[in-house]
Amino acid sequence: MSKTFHEKLEELLNDSNLIPVEWSGGAYEEDGETFVNANFVYKTKKLPPSKQELKELESRQTK
């Protein structure tokens, strides 16, 4: 089952590996209703290498 927009947004906002870089947008009115159009740019934190990646790096360095 796919996630709703709100579920995906909540997941992204609570992901500690994502760092907000910038956002842009603004409010506008259409048919008497106010909407907000926003664009967000995120980057991911560089995660530490996994155990498998560490083993591969060590094996390359000892060759």
Side-chain angles (χ1 to χ4, degrees):
M1 182 177 155
S2 63
K3 295 179 182 177
T4 66
F5 168 78
H6 292 97
E7 290 170 329
K8 186 63 179 172
L9 180 60
E10 177 119 7
E11 179 184 311
L12 290 171
L13 291 173
N14 291 313
D15 189 339
S16 62
N17 291 317
L18 292 177
I19 302 165
V21 177
E22 66 180 73
W23 77 275
S24 63
Y28 66 95
E29 284 192 30
E30 188 175 296
D31 297 328
E33 291 188 79
T34 301
F35 295 90
V36 176
N37 180 18
N39 297 301
F40 297 90
V41 177
Y42 288 90
K43 68 178 183 178
T44 56
K45 289 181 184 177
K46 184 170 173 124
L47 299 175
S50 67
K51 288 181 182 180
Q52 180 66 33
E53 290 171 325
L54 284 174
K55 286 180 184 177
E56 289 173 5
L57 286 172
E58 288 173 359
S59 69
R60 287 185 201 153
Q61 291 175 350
T62 56
K63 289 182 179 180

